[in-house]
Amino acid sequence: MNLARIASLCLLLSPVVAAARNVTVPVDVGVGPAAFLFFGPVFDDQPIHTGLKLSVEAVLDKDWLKKNQRAIPSRYRKYAKSVDEVRISPSIFIPDSLIISPKVRDTGMYGVTWKPLGLGLPLTSGPVRLAVGGGVLLTYAYLHSDTLADTHFVRPGAELGVDLELQLSKSFLISLGWESALYVPQELGGLGLPDRVRDGIFHVGQAYLQFHVRFPYSTRL
């Protein structure tokens, strides 16, 4: 599958369509538990912090693209015939994940991550879908601790991940995956760079399990 073609099809929801028409789009809403691993001194203090993984996407499969060719700009229609699926997030302001990790022993953490830009590549299709992907991140997290310096972590980053999705029915799915994010390093207790990368926050791993519900949503394209 050509990634450039997928990127072009992401313009489906843009105002380049000359005449708007009513269409029904399958929308996938996913939520589930996540485990965050802040490698470095935070990991040494407490390996796992908890939270939620979120997703909201319009899922345009091959059948949808075939039935709604008139909703696709004419110059992109030939590309639509060569892809199995296009997924589009309706807003960059929908969080990708929430960190909700109360202090159990010495350290607690609360925060949010946005993914304003992401791209996925499915390796398989059908009831069992394996995909790899990446994206640009922006994270804010507040770390409060009895053993580490309290820190407002504010950094951009980039992530790579793998996702396995199991379709139990047309309207209910389960996915599990792993994402590894690299950030501009930040020192604990401040906003600057650490003296040594390993002494700050720079690498965050995330394992997650999501439950998905899909439903039809009518809109105008």
Side-chain angles (χ1 to χ4, degrees):
M1 183 179 297
N2 191 311
L3 292 181
R5 293 178 178 178
I6 299 176
S8 297
L9 283 171
C10 287
L11 295 173
L12 285 172
L13 297 184
S14 68
V16 297
V17 184
R21 59 193 296 265
N22 289 322
V23 296
T24 299
V25 178
V27 174
D28 183 295
V29 177
V31 63
F36 299 89
L37 292 75
F38 283 73
F39 295 104
V42 179
F43 183 88
D44 295 337
D45 176 81
Q46 181 175 315
I48 296 177
H49 290 272
T50 56
L52 295 174
K53 177 72 170 177
L54 309 173
S55 64
V56 179
E57 297 175 318
V59 182
L60 312 181
D61 59 17
K62 181 172 287 189
D63 290 338
W64 189 97
L65 295 171
K66 183 177 181 180
K67 293 177 182 177
N68 295 274
Q69 290 189 35
R70 293 180 59 190
I72 305 172
S74 58
R75 61 181 177 274
Y76 299 129
R77 289 175 187 171
K78 64 179 180 179
Y79 298 138
K81 297 178 181 179
S82 63
V83 300
D84 294 326
E85 186 178 85
V86 177
R87 298 192 177 197
I88 303 170
S89 178
S91 174
I92 64 173
F93 298 106
I94 297 174
D96 178 76
S97 56
L98 300 175
I99 302 171
I100 308 171
S101 188
K103 184 187 295 185
V104 177
R105 294 179 55 189
D106 299 319
T107 303
M109 189 181 300
Y110 298 91
V112 58
T113 292
W114 293 272
K115 187 188 294 184
L117 178 63
L119 185 64
L121 176 63
L123 303 179
T124 62
S125 60
V128 180
R129 178 181 182 271
L130 179 65
V132 295
V136 176
L137 306 177
L138 177 62
T139 295
Y140 167 76
Y142 173 61
L143 181 149
H144 59 103
S145 176
D146 298 329
T147 54
L148 301 172
D150 291 352
T151 302
H152 292 274
F153 177 70
V154 185
R155 281 297 192 264
E159 62 88 14
L160 293 173
V162 59
D163 181 89
L164 178 64
E165 183 181 86
L166 307 175
Q167 184 172 0
L168 303 182
S169 70
K170 288 186 176 181
S171 59
F172 183 70
L173 305 88
I174 295 177
S175 66
L176 63 157
W178 170 266
E179 293 180 353
S180 187
L182 294 177
Y183 292 91
V184 176
Q186 180 175 328
E187 63 182 348
L188 294 180
L191 296 175
L193 297 173
D195 294 332
R196 297 183 300 176
V197 171
R198 64 185 182 184
D199 292 335
I201 300 175
F202 68 99
H203 180 197
V204 179
Q206 179 186 174
Y208 61 85
L209 170 68
Q210 273 190 301
F211 302 94
H212 300 259
V213 176
R214 288 188 183 177
F215 56 90
Y217 177 78
S218 295
T219 186
R220 289 180 66 82
L221 294 181

